[in-house]
Structure formats: C-alpha cells, structure tokens
Amino acid sequence: PASWRFQARRQRIFGSLRLAVRLLPDGSVEGVEVLESSGYGVLDQAAIRTIRLASPFAPFPAELAEWDRLEIIRTWHFTPGNRLQTRGN
C-alpha cells in the first residue's frame, strides 16, 4: 500500500520529476506518463500512485465540453520534511 512512502522516507530520498496526466471528460484518469524521471523509481511511482488515488477528479465544466481529454503537465518536488510540492510548467 504505502510502502513507497516509507521506503523514500527511510532512505531520505528527495527529488523532482515531471508528469503528464491525461483526464477524460468525466474526471477519470486515462493515463499518467513520467516525462522526466527523478532518477528514483520509488519517487516516480509515489507521484503516479498519488494521482491514481486522487482520482476521479471533477468532471470537465461546460466550457470544456468540446474537448475529449485534457493533458496536465506538472513538476513534482519531493523535499525534506516529508513535503510534496507541485507546479505547472
């Protein structure tokens, strides 16, 4: 379950990675792709698992009715103190 979190904390692994997340109009996740790895599989998998656990997201608003999917690219930063920060690119 959350073994990746404990492993990263125990080993004091920190780093950044870029993810692309593809959402469908109903808010479900169509796919997650690591665009730039952190260099640590445990961190990359933690970010992917976080996305999967947070889904489904809110359905697209009416303004996006013409779109059949939405891709969001964010940089994830795993930092000391068990913190996670994200920012768009």
Coordinates of all heavy atoms in Angstrom, one line a residue:
P1 N 0.8 -1.2 0.0 CA 0.0 0.0 0.0 C 0.9 1.3 0.0 O 1.1 1.8 -1.0 CB -0.8 -0.1 1.2 CG -0.8 -1.5 1.7 CD 0.4 -2.1 1.1
A2 N 1.3 1.7 1.1 CA 2.0 3.0 1.2 C 3.5 2.7 1.4 O 4.3 3.5 1.9 CB 1.5 3.8 2.3
S3 N 4.0 1.5 1.0 CA 5.4 1.1 1.3 C 6.4 2.0 0.5 O 7.5 2.3 1.0 CB 5.6 -0.3 0.8 OG 5.4 -0.5 -0.5
W4 N 6.0 2.6 -0.6 CA 6.9 3.5 -1.3 C 7.1 4.8 -0.5 O 8.2 5.3 -0.5 CB 6.3 3.9 -2.7 CG 4.8 4.3 -2.7 CD1 3.7 3.5 -2.9 CD2 4.3 5.6 -2.4 NE1 2.6 4.2 -2.7 CE2 2.9 5.5 -2.4 CE3 4.8 6.8 -2.1 CZ2 2.0 6.5 -2.2 CZ3 4.0 7.9 -1.8 CH2 2.6 7.7 -1.9
R5 N 6.1 5.2 0.2 CA 6.3 6.4 1.1 C 7.4 6.1 2.2 O 8.3 6.9 2.4 CB 5.0 6.9 1.7 CG 4.2 7.7 0.8 CD 3.0 8.2 1.6 NE 2.1 7.1 1.8 CZ 1.0 7.2 2.5 NH1 0.6 8.3 3.0 NH2 0.3 6.1 2.7
F6 N 7.2 5.0 2.8 CA 8.1 4.6 3.9 C 9.5 4.4 3.4 O 10.4 4.8 4.1 CB 7.5 3.4 4.7 CG 6.2 3.7 5.3 CD1 5.1 2.9 5.0 CD2 6.0 4.7 6.2 CE1 3.9 3.1 5.6 CE2 4.8 5.0 6.8 CZ 3.7 4.2 6.5
Q7 N 9.6 3.7 2.3 CA 10.9 3.5 1.7 C 11.6 4.8 1.4 O 12.8 5.0 1.7 CB 10.8 2.6 0.4 CG 12.1 2.3 -0.2 CD 12.0 1.5 -1.4 OE1 10.9 1.0 -1.8 NE2 13.1 1.2 -2.1
A8 N 10.9 5.7 0.8 CA 11.5 7.0 0.4 C 11.9 7.8 1.7 O 13.0 8.4 1.7 CB 10.6 7.9 -0.4
R9 N 11.1 7.8 2.7 CA 11.4 8.5 3.9 C 12.6 7.8 4.6 O 13.5 8.5 5.1 CB 10.2 8.5 4.9 CG 9.1 9.4 4.5 CD 8.0 9.3 5.4 NE 6.8 10.0 4.9 CZ 5.6 9.9 5.3 NH1 5.3 9.0 6.3 NH2 4.6 10.6 4.8
R10 N 12.6 6.5 4.7 CA 13.6 5.7 5.4 C 15.0 6.0 4.8 O 16.0 6.1 5.4 CB 13.3 4.3 5.4 CG 14.0 3.4 6.4 CD 13.5 2.0 6.5 NE 12.9 1.4 5.3 CZ 11.7 1.1 5.1 NH1 10.8 1.3 6.0 NH2 11.3 0.6 3.9
Q11 N 15.0 6.0 3.4 CA 16.2 6.2 2.7 C 16.6 7.7 2.5 O 17.6 8.0 1.9 CB 16.2 5.5 1.3 CG 16.0 4.0 1.5 CD 15.9 3.3 0.1 OE1 16.1 3.9 -0.9 NE2 15.6 2.0 0.1
R12 N 15.7 8.6 2.9 CA 15.9 10.0 2.8 C 16.1 10.4 1.3 O 17.1 11.0 1.0 CB 17.0 10.5 3.7 CG 16.7 10.3 5.1 CD 17.8 10.8 6.0 NE 17.6 10.5 7.4 CZ 17.2 11.3 8.3 NH1 17.0 12.6 8.0 NH2 17.0 10.9 9.5
I13 N 15.2 9.9 0.5 CA 15.3 10.1 -1.0 C 14.4 11.4 -1.3 O 13.2 11.4 -0.9 CB 14.8 8.9 -1.8 CG1 15.7 7.7 -1.5 CG2 14.7 9.2 -3.2 CD1 15.1 6.4 -2.1
F14 N 15.0 12.3 -2.0 CA 14.3 13.5 -2.4 C 14.6 13.8 -3.9 O 15.6 13.3 -4.4 CB 14.8 14.7 -1.6 CG 14.7 14.5 -0.1 CD1 15.9 14.3 0.6 CD2 13.5 14.4 0.5 CE1 15.8 14.0 2.0 CE2 13.5 14.2 1.9 CZ 14.6 14.0 2.6
G15 N 13.8 14.5 -4.6 CA 14.0 14.8 -6.0 C 12.8 15.4 -6.6 O 11.7 15.6 -6.0
S16 N 12.9 15.6 -7.9 CA 11.9 16.2 -8.7 C 11.6 15.4 -10.0 O 12.6 14.8 -10.5 CB 12.3 17.7 -9.1 OG 12.4 18.5 -8.0
L17 N 10.4 15.4 -10.4 CA 10.1 14.8 -11.7 C 8.9 15.5 -12.4 O 8.2 16.3 -11.7 CB 9.6 13.3 -11.4 CG 8.4 13.1 -10.5 CD1 7.4 12.2 -11.2 CD2 8.8 12.6 -9.2
R18 N 8.7 15.3 -13.7 CA 7.6 15.8 -14.4 C 6.7 14.7 -14.9 O 7.1 13.7 -15.4 CB 8.2 16.6 -15.7 CG 8.8 17.9 -15.3 CD 9.3 18.7 -16.5 NE 8.1 19.1 -17.3 CZ 8.0 19.1 -18.6 NH1 9.1 18.7 -19.3 NH2 7.0 19.6 -19.2
L19 N 5.4 15.0 -14.6 CA 4.4 14.0 -15.0 C 3.4 14.7 -16.0 O 3.1 15.9 -15.8 CB 3.5 13.6 -13.8 CG 4.1 12.6 -12.8 CD1 3.0 12.3 -11.8 CD2 4.6 11.3 -13.5
A20 N 2.9 13.9 -16.9 CA 1.8 14.3 -17.8 C 0.6 13.4 -17.4 O 0.7 12.2 -17.3 CB 2.1 14.1 -19.3
V21 N -0.5 14.0 -17.1 CA -1.7 13.3 -16.7 C -2.8 13.6 -17.7 O -3.1 14.8 -18.0 CB -2.2 13.7 -15.3 CG1 -3.5 13.0 -14.9 CG2 -1.1 13.5 -14.2
R22 N -3.4 12.6 -18.3 CA -4.5 12.7 -19.2 C -5.8 12.4 -18.6 O -6.0 11.3 -18.1 CB -4.3 11.9 -20.5 CG -3.2 12.4 -21.4 CD -2.9 11.5 -22.6 NE -2.7 10.1 -22.2 CZ -1.6 9.6 -21.7 NH1 -0.6 10.3 -21.5 NH2 -1.5 8.3 -21.4
L23 N -6.7 13.4 -18.6 CA -8.0 13.2 -18.0 C -9.1 13.2 -19.0 O -9.0 13.9 -20.1 CB -8.3 14.4 -17.1 CG -7.4 14.7 -15.9 CD1 -7.8 15.9 -15.1 CD2 -7.3 13.4 -15.0
L24 N -10.1 12.4 -18.8 CA -11.3 12.3 -19.6 C -12.4 13.2 -19.1 O -12.3 13.6 -18.0 CB -11.8 10.8 -19.7 CG -10.8 9.8 -20.3 CD1 -11.3 8.4 -20.1 CD2 -10.5 10.1 -21.7
P25 N -13.4 13.5 -19.9 CA -14.4 14.5 -19.5 C -15.1 14.2 -18.2 O -15.5 15.0 -17.5 CB -15.4 14.5 -20.7 CG -14.6 14.1 -21.9 CD -13.5 13.1 -21.3
D26 N -15.2 12.9 -17.8 CA -15.9 12.5 -16.6 C -14.9 12.6 -15.4 O -15.3 12.4 -14.2 CB -16.4 11.1 -16.7 CG -15.4 10.0 -16.8 OD1 -14.2 10.3 -16.9 OD2 -15.8 8.8 -16.8
G27 N -13.7 13.1 -15.6 CA -12.7 13.2 -14.5 C -11.9 12.0 -14.2 O -11.0 12.1 -13.4
S28 N -12.1 11.0 -15.0 CA -11.3 9.8 -14.8 C -9.9 10.0 -15.4 O -9.7 10.8 -16.4 CB -12.0 8.5 -15.3 OG -12.2 8.6 -16.7
V29 N -8.9 9.2 -15.0 CA -7.6 9.3 -15.5 C -7.4 8.3 -16.6 O -7.6 7.1 -16.5 CB -6.5 9.0 -14.4 CG1 -5.1 9.0 -14.9 CG2 -6.6 10.0 -13.3
E30 N -7.1 8.8 -17.8 CA -6.8 8.0 -19.0 C -5.4 7.4 -18.9 O -5.2 6.3 -19.3 CB -7.0 8.7 -20.3 CG -6.8 7.9 -21.5 CD -6.9 8.7 -22.8 OE1 -6.2 9.7 -22.9 OE2 -7.6 8.2 -23.7
G31 N -4.5 8.2 -18.5 CA -3.1 7.8 -18.4 C -2.2 8.8 -17.6 O -2.5 9.9 -17.5
V32 N -1.1 8.2 -17.2 CA -0.1 9.0 -16.5 C 1.3 8.6 -17.1 O 1.6 7.5 -17.2 CB -0.1 8.8 -14.9 CG1 1.0 9.6 -14.2 CG2 -1.4 9.0 -14.3
E33 N 2.1 9.6 -17.4 CA 3.4 9.4 -18.1 C 4.4 10.2 -17.4 O 4.3 11.4 -17.1 CB 3.3 9.8 -19.5 CG 4.6 9.6 -20.3 CD 4.5 10.0 -21.7 OE1 3.4 10.4 -22.2 OE2 5.5 10.0 -22.4
V34 N 5.5 9.6 -17.0 CA 6.7 10.3 -16.5 C 7.5 10.9 -17.6 O 8.0 10.1 -18.5 CB 7.6 9.3 -15.6 CG1 8.8 10.1 -15.1 CG2 6.8 8.7 -14.5
L35 N 7.5 12.2 -17.7 CA 8.2 12.9 -18.8 C 9.7 13.1 -18.4 O 10.5 13.0 -19.3 CB 7.6 14.2 -19.0 CG 6.1 14.2 -19.5 CD1 5.6 15.7 -19.6 CD2 5.9 13.4 -20.8
E36 N 10.0 13.3 -17.2 CA 11.4 13.4 -16.7 C 11.4 12.8 -15.3 O 10.8 13.2 -14.4 CB 11.8 14.9 -16.6 CG 11.9 15.6 -17.9 CD 12.3 17.1 -17.7 OE1 12.9 17.5 -16.6 OE2 12.0 17.9 -18.6
S37 N 12.1 11.7 -15.3 CA 12.2 10.9 -14.0 C 13.0 11.7 -13.0 O 13.9 12.5 -13.3 CB 12.9 9.6 -14.3 OG 13.2 8.9 -13.1
S38 N 12.7 11.4 -11.7 CA 13.5 11.9 -10.6 C 14.9 11.2 -10.5 O 15.8 11.6 -9.8 CB 12.8 11.7 -9.3 OG 12.6 10.3 -9.0
G39 N 15.0 10.0 -11.2 CA 16.1 9.2 -11.0 C 15.9 8.1 -9.9 O 16.8 7.3 -9.7
Y40 N 14.8 8.2 -9.2 CA 14.4 7.3 -8.2 C 13.1 6.7 -8.5 O 12.1 7.4 -8.5 CB 14.4 7.9 -6.8 CG 15.7 8.5 -6.3 CD1 15.9 9.9 -6.4 CD2 16.7 7.7 -5.8 CE1 17.1 10.4 -6.0 CE2 17.9 8.2 -5.4 CZ 18.1 9.6 -5.5 OH 19.3 10.1 -5.1
G41 N 13.1 5.4 -8.8 CA 11.8 4.7 -9.2 C 10.8 4.9 -8.1 O 9.6 5.0 -8.4
V42 N 11.2 4.9 -6.8 CA 10.3 4.9 -5.7 C 9.5 6.3 -5.7 O 8.3 6.4 -5.4 CB 10.9 4.7 -4.4 CG1 12.0 5.7 -4.0 CG2 9.9 4.5 -3.3
L43 N 10.2 7.4 -6.1 CA 9.6 8.7 -6.1 C 8.6 8.8 -7.3 O 7.5 9.3 -7.2 CB 10.6 9.8 -6.2 CG 11.5 10.0 -4.9 CD1 12.4 11.3 -5.1 CD2 10.6 10.2 -3.7
D44 N 9.1 8.3 -8.5 CA 8.3 8.3 -9.7 C 7.0 7.6 -9.4 O 5.9 8.0 -9.7 CB 9.0 7.7 -10.9 CG 10.2 8.5 -11.3 OD1 10.5 9.6 -10.7 OD2 11.0 8.0 -12.1
Q45 N 7.1 6.4 -8.8 CA 5.9 5.6 -8.5 C 5.0 6.2 -7.5 O 3.8 6.1 -7.5 CB 6.3 4.2 -8.1 CG 6.9 3.3 -9.2 CD 5.9 3.3 -10.4 OE1 4.7 2.9 -10.3 NE2 6.4 3.5 -11.6
A46 N 5.6 6.9 -6.5 CA 4.8 7.6 -5.5 C 3.9 8.7 -6.1 O 2.8 8.9 -5.8 CB 5.7 8.3 -4.4
A47 N 4.5 9.5 -7.1 CA 3.7 10.5 -7.8 C 2.6 9.9 -8.6 O 1.5 10.4 -8.5 CB 4.7 11.3 -8.6
I48 N 2.9 8.8 -9.3 CA 1.9 8.2 -10.1 C 0.8 7.6 -9.2 O -0.4 7.8 -9.5 CB 2.5 7.0 -11.0 CG1 3.4 7.6 -12.0 CG2 1.4 6.2 -11.6 CD1 4.3 6.6 -12.8
R49 N 1.1 7.0 -8.1 CA 0.1 6.4 -7.2 C -0.7 7.5 -6.6 O -1.9 7.3 -6.4 CB 0.9 5.6 -6.1 CG -0.1 5.0 -5.2 CD 0.2 3.5 -5.0 NE -0.5 2.9 -3.9 CZ -1.7 2.3 -4.0 NH1 -2.2 2.2 -5.2 NH2 -2.3 1.8 -3.0
T50 N -0.1 8.7 -6.3 CA -0.9 9.8 -5.7 C -2.0 10.2 -6.7 O -3.1 10.5 -6.3 CB 0.1 11.0 -5.4 OG1 1.0 10.5 -4.4 CG2 -0.7 12.2 -4.9
I51 N -1.6 10.3 -8.0 CA -2.6 10.7 -9.0 C -3.7 9.7 -9.0 O -4.9 10.0 -9.0 CB -2.0 10.8 -10.4 CG1 -1.0 12.0 -10.4 CG2 -3.0 10.9 -11.5 CD1 -1.6 13.4 -10.3
R52 N -3.4 8.4 -9.1 CA -4.4 7.3 -9.2 C -5.3 7.3 -7.9 O -6.5 7.1 -8.1 CB -3.7 6.0 -9.3 CG -2.9 5.9 -10.6 CD -3.6 5.3 -11.7 NE -2.8 5.1 -12.9 CZ -3.2 5.3 -14.1 NH1 -4.5 5.7 -14.3 NH2 -2.4 5.1 -15.1
L53 N -4.7 7.6 -6.7 CA -5.5 7.6 -5.5 C -6.4 8.8 -5.4 O -7.5 8.7 -4.8 CB -4.6 7.5 -4.3 CG -3.9 6.2 -4.0 CD1 -2.9 6.4 -2.9 CD2 -4.9 5.1 -3.7
A54 N -6.0 9.9 -6.1 CA -6.8 11.1 -6.0 C -8.0 11.1 -7.0 O -8.9 12.0 -6.9 CB -5.9 12.4 -6.3
S55 N -7.9 10.2 -8.0 CA -9.0 10.2 -9.0 C -10.2 9.4 -8.5 O -10.1 8.6 -7.6 CB -8.4 9.5 -10.3 OG -8.2 8.2 -10.1
P56 N -11.4 9.7 -9.0 CA -11.6 10.6 -10.2 C -11.6 12.0 -9.7 O -11.9 12.4 -8.6 CB -13.0 10.2 -10.7 CG -13.7 9.6 -9.5 CD -12.6 9.0 -8.6
F57 N -11.3 12.9 -10.7 CA -11.3 14.3 -10.5 C -12.7 14.9 -10.9 O -13.5 14.1 -11.4 CB -10.2 15.0 -11.2 CG -8.8 14.5 -10.8 CD1 -8.1 13.5 -11.4 CD2 -8.2 15.1 -9.7 CE1 -6.9 13.0 -10.9 CE2 -7.0 14.7 -9.2 CZ -6.3 13.6 -9.8
A58 N -12.9 16.1 -10.7 CA -14.2 16.7 -11.1 C -14.4 16.6 -12.6 O -13.4 16.8 -13.3 CB -14.2 18.2 -10.6
P59 N -15.6 16.4 -13.0 CA -15.8 16.4 -14.5 C -15.5 17.7 -15.1 O -15.5 18.8 -14.4 CB -17.3 16.1 -14.6 CG -17.7 15.5 -13.3 CD -16.8 16.1 -12.3
F60 N -15.3 17.7 -16.4 CA -15.0 19.0 -17.1 C -16.2 19.9 -17.0 O -17.3 19.5 -17.1 CB -14.7 18.7 -18.6 CG -13.4 18.0 -18.9 CD1 -12.6 17.5 -17.9 CD2 -13.1 17.7 -20.2 CE1 -11.4 16.8 -18.3 CE2 -11.9 17.1 -20.6 CZ -11.1 16.6 -19.6
P61 N -15.9 21.2 -16.8 CA -17.0 22.2 -16.8 C -17.6 22.3 -18.3 O -17.0 21.9 -19.2 CB -16.3 23.5 -16.4 CG -14.9 23.3 -16.7 CD -14.6 21.8 -16.6
A62 N -18.7 22.9 -18.4 CA -19.4 23.1 -19.7 C -18.5 23.8 -20.7 O -18.6 23.5 -21.9 CB -20.7 23.9 -19.5
E63 N -17.7 24.7 -20.2 CA -16.8 25.4 -21.1 C -15.8 24.5 -21.9 O -15.2 24.9 -22.9 CB -16.0 26.5 -20.4 CG -16.8 27.6 -19.8 CD -17.3 27.2 -18.4 OE1 -16.9 26.2 -17.8 OE2 -18.2 27.9 -17.9
L64 N -15.6 23.3 -21.4 CA -14.6 22.4 -22.0 C -15.4 21.2 -22.7 O -14.8 20.2 -23.0 CB -13.7 21.8 -21.0 CG -12.7 22.8 -20.3 CD1 -11.8 22.1 -19.3 CD2 -11.9 23.5 -21.3
A65 N -16.7 21.4 -22.9 CA -17.5 20.3 -23.5 C -17.0 19.8 -24.8 O -17.2 18.6 -25.2 CB -18.9 20.7 -23.6
E66 N -16.3 20.6 -25.6 CA -15.8 20.2 -26.9 C -14.6 19.3 -26.8 O -14.2 18.7 -27.8 CB -15.6 21.4 -27.8 CG -14.4 22.3 -27.2 CD -14.2 23.6 -28.0 OE1 -14.9 24.5 -27.7 OE2 -13.4 23.5 -29.0
W67 N -13.9 19.3 -25.7 CA -12.7 18.5 -25.5 C -13.0 17.1 -25.1 O -13.8 16.8 -24.2 CB -11.8 19.2 -24.5 CG -11.4 20.6 -24.9 CD1 -12.0 21.7 -24.5 CD2 -10.4 21.0 -25.8 NE1 -11.4 22.8 -25.1 CE2 -10.4 22.4 -25.9 CE3 -9.5 20.3 -26.6 CZ2 -9.6 23.1 -26.7 CZ3 -8.6 21.0 -27.4 CH2 -8.7 22.4 -27.5
D68 N -12.2 16.1 -25.7 CA -12.4 14.7 -25.3 C -11.4 14.3 -24.3 O -11.5 13.2 -23.8 CB -12.4 13.8 -26.6 CG -11.1 13.9 -27.3 OD1 -10.2 14.7 -27.0 OD2 -11.0 13.0 -28.3
R69 N -10.4 15.1 -24.1 CA -9.4 14.8 -23.0 C -8.6 16.1 -22.7 O -8.6 17.0 -23.5 CB -8.5 13.6 -23.4 CG -7.5 13.9 -24.5 CD -6.6 12.7 -24.8 NE -7.3 11.4 -24.9 CZ -7.9 11.0 -26.0 NH1 -8.0 11.7 -27.1 NH2 -8.5 9.8 -26.0
L70 N -8.0 16.1 -21.6 CA -7.2 17.2 -21.1 C -5.9 16.7 -20.6 O -5.9 15.7 -19.8 CB -7.9 18.0 -20.0 CG -7.3 19.2 -19.4 CD1 -7.1 20.3 -20.4 CD2 -8.1 19.6 -18.2
E71 N -4.8 17.2 -21.0 CA -3.5 16.8 -20.5 C -2.9 17.9 -19.6 O -2.8 19.1 -20.0 CB -2.5 16.5 -21.7 CG -1.2 16.0 -21.2 CD -0.2 15.5 -22.3 OE1 0.3 16.4 -22.9 OE2 -0.1 14.3 -22.5
I72 N -2.5 17.5 -18.4 CA -1.9 18.5 -17.5 C -0.5 18.0 -17.2 O -0.3 16.8 -16.9 CB -2.7 18.5 -16.2 CG1 -4.2 18.9 -16.5 CG2 -2.1 19.4 -15.1 CD1 -5.1 18.7 -15.3
I73 N 0.5 18.9 -17.3 CA 1.9 18.6 -17.1 C 2.3 19.4 -15.8 O 2.1 20.6 -15.8 CB 2.8 18.9 -18.3 CG1 2.3 18.1 -19.5 CG2 4.2 18.7 -17.9 CD1 3.0 18.4 -20.8
R74 N 2.8 18.7 -14.9 CA 3.3 19.4 -13.6 C 4.6 18.8 -13.2 O 4.9 17.6 -13.5 CB 2.3 19.1 -12.5 CG 0.9 19.4 -12.8 CD 0.3 20.7 -12.3 NE 0.7 21.2 -11.0 CZ 0.6 22.4 -10.7 NH1 0.0 23.3 -11.5 NH2 0.9 22.8 -9.5
T75 N 5.4 19.6 -12.5 CA 6.6 19.2 -11.9 C 6.3 18.9 -10.4 O 5.7 19.7 -9.7 CB 7.7 20.3 -12.0 OG1 8.0 20.5 -13.4 CG2 9.0 19.8 -11.4
W76 N 6.8 17.8 -10.0 CA 6.6 17.3 -8.6 C 7.9 17.4 -7.9 O 8.9 16.9 -8.4 CB 6.1 15.9 -8.5 CG 4.7 15.7 -9.1 CD1 4.3 15.9 -10.3 CD2 3.6 15.2 -8.4 NE1 3.0 15.6 -10.4 CE2 2.5 15.1 -9.3 CE3 3.5 14.7 -7.1 CZ2 1.3 14.6 -8.9 CZ3 2.2 14.2 -6.7 CH2 1.1 14.2 -7.6
H77 N 7.9 18.0 -6.7 CA 9.1 18.1 -5.9 C 8.9 17.4 -4.5 O 8.0 17.8 -3.8 CB 9.5 19.6 -5.6 CG 9.7 20.4 -6.8 ND1 10.8 20.4 -7.5 CD2 8.8 21.3 -7.4 CE1 10.7 21.2 -8.5 NE2 9.5 21.8 -8.5
F78 N 9.7 16.3 -4.3 CA 9.7 15.7 -3.0 C 10.8 16.3 -2.2 O 12.0 16.1 -2.7 CB 9.8 14.1 -3.2 CG 8.6 13.5 -3.8 CD1 8.5 13.3 -5.2 CD2 7.7 12.9 -3.0 CE1 7.4 12.7 -5.7 CE2 6.5 12.3 -3.5 CZ 6.4 12.2 -4.9
T79 N 10.5 16.9 -1.1 CA 11.5 17.7 -0.4 C 11.7 17.1 1.1 O 10.8 16.5 1.6 CB 11.2 19.2 -0.3 OG1 9.9 19.3 0.3 CG2 11.1 19.7 -1.7
P80 N 12.8 17.5 1.7 CA 12.9 17.1 3.1 C 11.7 17.5 4.0 O 11.1 18.5 3.7 CB 14.2 17.8 3.6 CG 15.0 17.9 2.3 CD 13.9 18.2 1.2
G81 N 11.5 16.8 5.0 CA 10.3 17.1 5.9 C 9.0 16.5 5.4 O 8.0 16.9 5.8
N82 N 9.2 15.5 4.5 CA 8.0 14.7 4.0 C 7.1 15.7 3.3 O 5.8 15.5 3.5 CB 7.3 14.0 5.1 CG 8.2 12.9 5.7 OD1 9.0 12.3 5.1 ND2 8.1 12.8 7.0
R83 N 7.6 16.6 2.5 CA 6.7 17.5 1.8 C 6.7 17.2 0.3 O 7.7 16.7 -0.2 CB 7.3 18.9 2.0 CG 7.2 19.3 3.5 CD 7.6 20.7 3.7 NE 6.6 21.5 3.0 CZ 6.5 22.8 3.2 NH1 7.3 23.5 3.9 NH2 5.5 23.5 2.5
L84 N 5.6 17.5 -0.3 CA 5.4 17.4 -1.7 C 4.9 18.7 -2.2 O 3.9 19.2 -1.7 CB 4.4 16.2 -2.0 CG 3.9 16.1 -3.5 CD1 5.1 15.8 -4.4 CD2 2.8 15.1 -3.6
Q85 N 5.5 19.2 -3.3 CA 5.1 20.5 -3.9 C 5.0 20.2 -5.4 O 5.7 19.4 -5.9 CB 6.1 21.6 -3.7 CG 6.3 21.9 -2.2 CD 7.5 22.9 -2.0 OE1 8.4 22.9 -2.8 NE2 7.4 23.6 -0.9
T86 N 4.0 20.8 -6.1 CA 3.9 20.7 -7.5 C 3.8 22.1 -8.1 O 3.4 23.1 -7.4 CB 2.7 19.9 -8.0 OG1 1.5 20.6 -7.6 CG2 2.7 18.5 -7.3
R87 N 4.2 22.2 -9.4 CA 4.0 23.5 -10.1 C 3.8 23.2 -11.5 O 4.4 22.2 -12.0 CB 5.2 24.5 -9.8 CG 6.5 24.0 -10.4 CD 7.5 25.1 -10.2 NE 8.8 24.6 -10.4 CZ 9.4 24.5 -11.7 NH1 8.7 24.8 -12.7 NH2 10.6 24.0 -11.8
G88 N 3.1 24.0 -12.2 CA 2.9 23.8 -13.7 C 4.1 24.3 -14.4 O 4.9 25.1 -13.9
N89 N 4.2 23.9 -15.7 CA 5.4 24.3 -16.5 C 4.9 25.2 -17.6 O 3.9 25.0 -18.2 CB 6.1 23.1 -17.0 CG 6.7 22.3 -15.9 OD1 6.6 22.7 -14.7 ND2 7.2 21.2 -16.2

